[in-house]
Amino acid sequence: MRVLKTKKAKRTGKPSAAQVWAEVEDRFVPTFEPWPSERVVYLRLLRQTRLAGRETIRVSLQAFSEALRISVSTLRKAYQRLESKGAIQIHERGYTGHLIRVFLPSEIRGIGRGESLRLRQDVEAINFYARTNLRELIYAREKHRCFYCGRKLKKTCRGMDHVVPRSGGGDESYRNVVACCLECNSMKGERPAARFLKILGSFSVLTRKQLRQRLAALKALRHGKLKPSFGALRGLRVAA
Ligand SMILES: [Zn+2]
């Protein structure tokens, strides 16, 4: 079990609230994509247990749901989901309440040993083209459709394209690689992406509206607004 180490933590045996908050935001949320209600419940449980220097709490469903201003059924569902993620463990369920053990984000198994956080921090420097598993994040970002023509991509018939070709100085960052179908990949060649989209428009592969949307997506991509979601890393083994 890794315990957060700060001067305050050593002195009082309690982890720093700021660090726990950051771990929830930077590790728990991107890894598990919890519902808002789960976040509310988890944060309150952390505050009343670990940040208060203890590991468990006994609380009734009714009282806790009233304190959080959520319904009992929402609270019950949040417990189930948090328990399935390993964020809490319910030891007893009874009329007097639930006895709940609460884990810090750093103590939850499967949170990726910081991989997700590290990748998020280094996102600008990542080569999404060379790493097979990271390509999946690009496919997921494109919702498994060709970035250019929009057709649905099959696993056996898909590729990655450099928006600005390597010969033109394009890199392999998330700002310059997109998922595409094999036809678009070969037809585009060394053409600038915007010109290629306009060709698709002139051949009615894209409607005028679709063309406008694709050009806007291209602009968003270049401006770094289409970061892949690292939530999709869950269940993926990231090759070194
Ligand atoms: Zn295509």
Side-chain angles (χ1 to χ4, degrees), residues 146-151 153 180-185 196 200 205:
C146 173
F147 184 84
Y148 301 114
C149 71
R151 84 169 64 166
L153 295 173
C180 69
C181 68
L182 299 184
E183 281 98 325
C184 284
N185 195 277
F196 177 61
L200 291 181
V205 176

Side-chain angles (χ1 to χ4, degrees), residues 57-69:
I57 185 173
R58 185 181 289 280
V59 65
S60 81
L61 276 171
Q62 193 64 41
F64 203 35
S65 68
E66 281 171 14
L68 294 171
R69 297 179 186 276

Side-chain angles (χ1 to χ4, degrees), residues 91-159:
H91 289 293
E92 287 169 35
R93 293 173 163 86
Y95 291 114
T96 53
H98 289 55
L99 181 64
I100 303 169
R101 182 163 182 218
V102 184
F103 297 93
L104 295 169
S106 57
E107 294 166 351
I108 300 173
R109 282 183 64 189
I111 207 156
R113 296 192 196 90
E115 179 75 340
S116 176
L117 174 66
R118 190 176 63 71
L119 289 173
R120 271 159 49 90
Q121 287 171 338
D122 297 347
V123 66
E124 299 296 332
I126 292 174
N127 181 330
F128 281 92
Y129 192 85
R131 294 173 65 173
T132 311
N133 289 337
L134 291 182
R135 285 181 173 212
E136 291 297 332
L137 300 187
I138 300 292
Y139 290 122
R141 179 188 69 184
E142 259 80 276
K143 297 187 170 58
H144 303 278
R145 288 187 175 277
C146 173
F147 184 84
Y148 301 114
C149 71
R151 84 169 64 166
K152 195 95 182 135
L153 295 173
K154 288 183 185 161
K155 277 200 170 175
T156 51
C157 198
R158 62 182 189 178

